[in-house]
Amino acid sequence: MSFTGQSIISANQFSPASLKDIFERADRITKRVQQEGVLPTLNDKVMATLFYEPSTRTRLSFESAMQRLGGRVVSTSSAKQYSSVIKGETLSDTIRTIQQYSDVIVLRHTDKGAATEASTVAQIPIINAGDGDGEHPTQALLDMYTILKESGRHEGLKIAMIGDLKYGRTVHSLSQLLTLYDNSFYFVSPPELTIPAWVKEKITCPYQETQNLLEILPEVDVLYVTRIQKERFESEAEYERYRGVYKITPEVMEKAKSTMVLMHPLPRIDEISPAIDTDPRAAYFRQVKNGMLIRMTMLSLVFGRNL
Ligand code: NCD
């Protein structure tokens, strides 16, 4: 399937064949970036980033991806405060405007479904960089790529996802990609923060829901830790109830396989002790690097450029 001129909205747009192609391209791009630093692939293109929610990695990795492809970037971070939204402009009008200046729009928004809405009015591709508690498809791609790099495969794995599975959009997208292969899941969360029904419906692999990490940890091949999504709770008191509910410490890691891959989309608050950062199983900073490479891959595909 071709992504040329297509918006990237959901993990459901990918198949095993398209993932294979994406990861082979990402390997080629990795080598070329090492050799050349900046490539001339998109030197006739402009990317706009429109972020209504905070971001460090997603926005900067998209922007550095575009720069490393020779493209240009225009950017509105904190769009809620600093764009015409504050004057009452609708998302649709903002998109209709920004598309006059750019060739692709990377959008992060507070509302689930915002990227779909934007893609229906836009005449240029929209890339969903997180829509509220919905999805985060490019994060899922870089997570899959990391799993492949770290464990040499992305099938036949027992994957545990832990933390805020209700609001954590990275989990919603990643589980849709992992279920394309022969894997099995443990979803570890407090009972109030379990994975939502609309995601469960898409999961065809066997899965088990539990609150108890230690019970299943010795079996786990990939442990994907998430932050309790503070900004999605109605009150500070509700957030405080779940804050710090799971903590990966060196003692916890002693119970895990020596080959386990420990991942986190970041930012971490207190879910993973910094004492683990030097553990070879801690893959989260390598995961960050893969973000830029995967976003270079997706930008080149959206513009139909071969690499
Ligand atoms: C995630 C997000 O924004 O959904 N961060 C990211 O993009 N790497 C995870 C999070 O904020 O907890």
Side-chain angles (χ1 to χ4, degrees), residues 241-257:
R241 212 178 312 147
Y242 303 110
R243 188 198 161 132
V245 63
Y246 295 112
K247 284 200 172 122
I248 312 300
T249 59
E251 297 71 53
V252 172
M253 287 299 278
E254 272 173 32
K255 309 220 163 39
K257 285 187 185 175

Side-chain angles (χ1 to χ4, degrees), residues 51 53-59 108 129-132 135-136 138-139 142-143 167-171 224-232 264-269 271 287-288 295:
F51 276 55
E53 279 190 347
S55 168
T56 302
R57 278 149 289 267
T58 305
R59 189 165 65 84
R108 169 168 287 188
D131 60 330
E135 288 213 43
H136 195 348
T138 62
Q139 178 73 41
L142 78 90
D143 291 341
Y167 296 120
R169 57 194 171 198
T170 67
V171 164
Y224 190 91
V225 185
T226 64
R227 170 180 74 90
I228 304 293
Q229 306 280 298
K230 182 179 184 182
E231 64 276 32
R232 314 264 177 242
H264 193 307
L266 303 178
R268 74 173 146 187
I269 310 304
E271 315 78 51
Q287 195 179 343
V288 168
R295 286 166 178 139

Side-chain angles (χ1 to χ4, degrees), residues 56-108:
T56 302
R57 278 149 289 267
T58 305
R59 189 165 65 84
L60 291 181
S61 66
F62 262 113
E63 294 184 359
S64 73
M66 190 61 180
Q67 304 263 16
R68 284 198 184 274
L69 289 166
R72 288 137 219 245
V73 176
V74 290
S75 178
T76 305
S77 60
S78 312
K80 261 206 153 127
Q81 291 97 318
Y82 299 124
S83 72
S84 285
V85 169
I86 204 142
K87 302 180 190 165
E89 187 167 62
T90 61
L91 175 65
S92 298
D93 280 359
T94 304
I95 294 290
R96 286 189 188 100
T97 302
I98 294 179
Q99 69 177 357
Q100 312 298 330
Y101 312 139
S102 60
D103 305 299
V104 61
I105 298 173
V106 179
L107 173 69
R108 169 168 287 188

Side-chain angles (χ1 to χ4, degrees), residues 45-218:
K45 299 292 180 195
V46 175
M47 176 187 85
T49 52
L50 176 61
F51 276 55
Y52 291 77
E53 279 190 347
S55 168
T56 302
R57 278 149 289 267
T58 305
R59 189 165 65 84
L60 291 181
S61 66
F62 262 113
E63 294 184 359
S64 73
M66 190 61 180
Q67 304 263 16
R68 284 198 184 274
L69 289 166
R72 288 137 219 245
V73 176
V74 290
S75 178
T76 305
S77 60
S78 312
K80 261 206 153 127
Q81 291 97 318
Y82 299 124
S83 72
S84 285
V85 169
I86 204 142
K87 302 180 190 165
E89 187 167 62
T90 61
L91 175 65
S92 298
D93 280 359
T94 304
I95 294 290
R96 286 189 188 100
T97 302
I98 294 179
Q99 69 177 357
Q100 312 298 330
Y101 312 139
S102 60
D103 305 299
V104 61
I105 298 173
V106 179
L107 173 69
R108 169 168 287 188
H109 201 275
T110 45
D111 298 346
K112 180 167 182 262
T116 307
E117 182 192 330
S119 70
T120 58
V121 298
Q123 269 131 28
I124 61 172
I126 302 289
I127 302 182
N128 182 4
D131 60 330
D133 60 357
E135 288 213 43
H136 195 348
T138 62
Q139 178 73 41
L141 292 171
L142 78 90
D143 291 341
M144 285 298 276
Y145 190 54
T146 303
I147 292 171
L148 185 60
K149 295 271 121 190
E150 296 287 324
S151 53
R153 63 194 207 277
H154 45 39
E155 58 196 329
L157 296 169
K158 291 194 165 109
I159 301 122
M161 307 214 187
I162 181 167
D164 185 347
L165 309 184
K166 179 180 181 187
Y167 296 120
R169 57 194 171 198
T170 67
V171 164
H172 303 164
S173 290
L174 179 58
S175 42
Q176 291 182 61
L177 295 187
L178 283 164
T179 200
L180 294 171
Y181 305 89
D182 184 18
N183 289 309
S184 61
F185 297 107
Y186 297 109
F187 294 123
V188 187
S189 72
E192 299 82 6
L193 299 180
T194 54
I195 200 146
W198 68 267
V199 182
K200 268 192 216 164
E201 278 162 19
K202 296 171 193 272
I203 295 171
T204 49
C205 288
Y207 68 85
Q208 187 187 320
E209 294 182 275
T210 175
Q211 292 181 58
N212 189 338
L213 174 66
L214 292 181
E215 204 173 80
I216 52 109
L217 185 61

